Amino acid sequence: MTDDKHEWLDPDNEEEATVRYLIENTDLSPLQAQELVARHGSDRAKLLEIARTMKAEG
């Protein structure tokens, strides 16, 4: 078993790789990142811009 807390993500899947990127580079929760990618696609620059305006779930 790996210590990777995001082991449920498939790095070969573009959408899931984008979710992982958002989790690692923003304060978003995994659920928030998944919802953001589902709504706005995989454009990382656009997603980071949107993520900056969002508050992490606490």
Side-chain angles (χ1 to χ4, degrees):
M1 182 175 209
T2 180
D3 289 336
D4 187 353
K5 63 183 175 181
H6 307 298
E7 65 186 21
W8 52 272
L9 293 172
D10 177 6
D12 295 327
N13 179 304
E14 181 182 353
E15 186 174 300
E16 291 183 7
T18 303
V19 170
R20 176 187 289 264
Y21 176 81
L22 287 175
I23 294 167
E24 293 173 350
N25 291 284
T26 68
D27 290 334
L28 298 182
S29 70
L31 180 60
Q32 286 175 307
Q34 285 176 320
E35 290 174 354
L36 197 61
V37 171
R39 287 186 193 147
H40 300 284
S42 296
D43 180 345
R44 291 182 178 186
K46 178 180 179 180
L47 293 169
L48 285 174
E49 185 177 322
I50 296 167
R52 284 189 210 111
T53 67
M54 298 175 66
K55 184 175 182 177
E57 294 177 344

